[in-house]
Amino acid sequence: MICLGVEATAHTFGVGIVTDKGKVLANVLDTYRPPEGWGIEPMKAAQHHEEVAEKLLQKALKEAKVDLSEIGLIAYSQGPGLPPCLYKGLEFCKKLAGDLKLPLIGVNHCIAHIEIGKLTTKARDPVTLYVSGANTQVIAFVGGKYRIFGETQDIGIGNALDKLGRDLGIGFPAGPKVEQLAKKGKWIELPYVVKGMDLSFSGIVSEAARRVKKGTSKEDVCFSFQESAFAMLTEVTERAMAHTGKKEVLLTGGVAANQRLRDMLSIMAKERGDKFYVCPKEYCGDCGANIAWLGIVSHKAEVKEKEHEIKPRQRTDDVEVTWT
Ligand code: ATP
Ligand code: FE2
């Protein structure tokens, strides 16, 4: 069985083709980029998705060297995400599934990140730290669900880095540039905000901006921002390990590219005698392969949908998980 999966929760439209053995045959995507200095406008992103959808479908089929007739299942990203974008994804998949008379299944975007991480690393039952632009969650499988043990109460760590980048005038996306500047920086104290198991990044972003205005060097601000924010993430992840007794950490999402964050988590895991895994870069970000693989996993577990619909506010722990 081969599944074609479509990611369309926010600015990325992705098409992935994956076999039931977990082989990724194609994973192509196109990301809507708002004009410099602007946030993402949902309607514009949705329009972008409509424009690129057919082209990406053809590109994926070509890359996978499969014909549409060989596809056995279609999966779409159901939520969480921006309603106009999710809707475009659903519409596209509904039409495709209808034309080809194939089963259609909606999957959760965040769980798709976890499952592809498990597929592509040796992690079996990890505490996952999912850190992307909009999302920051510490998740573990307990009692039939992927439960969120800690999360951001305001913005995601990726967006926090990008906001910092705007204040520093270093362009978008800022994560990789902040990482480079941090290598030459020294420590200054910045806010460290962990409330119970939850995190907040807006305070550290505003204080960093104030420091820059007062003349602290970009390097020092970037170094200290990373040290403070990543230590917060590591603290909450470690506490989730302690609470759940899990022996593996899985890092995923776009911010997983950061070597300093990897090092901190890896040291934490090593000191506990636990294992640390990072999702391979090509599957860390939003993409169709993640969605296609969760489609396969759900299908094998005989997950059935009463209705095909988008769920813009769906939470990771809303989903009944019967496959693990
Ligand atoms: P979401 O999945 O929440 O919709 P997204 O698609 O914006 O969000 P990703 O593509 O997973 O998120 O990640 C993008 C983020 O990763 C950006 O905020 C970017 O700054 C950050 N990022 C990329 N490389 C690095 C790096 N080396 N260090 C830190 N952050 C990084
Ligand atoms: Fe994502």
Side-chain angles (χ1 to χ4, degrees):
M1 146 93 75
I2 296 178
C3 178
L4 185 141
V6 170
E7 156 65 36
T9 57
H11 45 40
T12 297
F13 192 90
V15 180
I17 301 179
V18 179
T19 71
D20 55 358
K21 300 277 182 299
K23 189 160 191 277
V24 179
L25 303 177
N27 189 33
V28 300
L29 50 87
D30 196 300
T31 300
Y32 167 72
R33 293 264 171 248
E36 184 82 36
W38 288 76
I40 175 168
E41 269 183 64
M43 294 305 287
K44 292 233 166 96
Q47 193 188 337
H48 158 271
H49 296 351
E50 178 157 353
E51 284 161 18
V52 300
E54 187 58 36
K55 194 177 66 192
L56 283 177
L57 170 66
Q58 295 310 326
K59 192 172 168 193
L61 291 167
K62 199 170 162 199
E63 190 175 305
K65 299 194 181 69
V66 300
D67 188 79
L68 268 182
S69 61
E70 293 170 78
I71 305 287
L73 173 70
I74 310 280
Y76 66 99
S77 54
Q78 176 164 61
L82 305 171
C85 301
L86 291 168
Y87 189 70
K88 281 292 167 212
L90 172 60
E91 249 189 345
F92 183 76
C93 289
K94 246 188 188 171
K95 172 146 194 334
L96 200 58
D99 290 350
L100 300 168
K101 301 197 171 48
L102 288 177
L104 175 65
I105 191 156
V107 304
N108 177 278
H109 174 95
C110 305
I111 297 179
H113 277 289
I114 301 174
E115 291 297 343
I116 198 102
K118 284 164 64 185
L119 172 71
T120 53
T121 67
K122 290 203 177 75
R124 288 292 154 259
D125 182 22
V127 166
T128 301
L129 175 60
Y130 166 38
V131 276
S132 64
N135 293 295
T136 298
Q137 300 185 341
V138 177
I139 310 162
F141 184 74
V142 176
K145 285 180 172 179
Y146 280 109
R147 297 186 192 266
I148 302 173
F149 281 81
E151 64 191 316
T152 180
Q153 292 186 334
D154 43 42
I155 52 175
I157 178 67
N159 287 350
L161 285 160
D162 294 334
K163 266 194 171 174
L164 172 70
R166 230 170 287 145
D167 296 329
L168 296 176
I170 56 177
F172 176 89
K177 287 170 195 153
V178 170
E179 183 171 13
Q180 289 314 313
L181 287 165
K183 287 188 178 148
K184 296 183 213 104
K186 298 184 304 299
W187 170 250
I188 57 159
E189 187 150 344
L190 290 176
Y192 183 101
V193 189
V194 175
K195 297 174 190 160
M197 289 292 279
D198 287 337
L199 308 132
S200 156
F201 296 107
S202 56
I204 183 169
V205 174
S206 347
E207 180 58 19
R210 255 194 304 276
R211 287 304 196 97
V212 177
K213 274 203 195 114
K214 279 196 195 156
T216 307
S217 77
K218 286 182 184 176
E219 287 82 357
D220 290 358
V221 167
C222 289
F223 172 77
S224 309
F225 189 99
Q226 284 201 162
E227 293 304 301
S228 215
F230 295 169
M232 287 160 53
L233 293 168
T234 306
E235 181 194 325
V236 172
T237 308
E238 175 164 28
R239 211 163 326 123
M241 305 287 291
H243 280 330
T244 58
K246 308 261 184 212
K247 306 298 288 171
E248 302 164 322
V249 185
L250 171 66
L251 175 63
T252 190
V255 183
N258 190 287
Q259 191 57 46
R260 181 59 185 141
L261 177 59
R262 291 179 180 204
D263 289 347
M264 279 197 199
L265 290 163
S266 152
I267 292 165
M268 179 271 282
K270 199 165 168 204
E271 284 180 352
R272 297 178 53 83
D274 297 337
K275 290 254 163 42
F276 172 63
Y277 300 99
V278 187
C279 182
K281 195 166 190 297
E282 62 265 48
Y283 308 123
C284 262
D286 296 349
C287 66
N290 296 4
I291 303 302
W293 175 239
L294 183 51
I296 294 266
V297 169
S298 308
H299 187 75
K300 279 187 187 165
E302 296 179 13
V303 174
K304 295 270 181 293
E305 265 189 332
K306 278 196 216 91
E307 222 176 311
H308 302 307
E309 58 185 354
I310 62 167
K311 295 184 177 169
R313 294 185 167 275
Q314 186 183 48
R315 280 176 59 86
T316 310
D317 49 13
D318 285 339
V319 181
E320 294 290 344
V321 175
T322 52
W323 56 83
T324 165

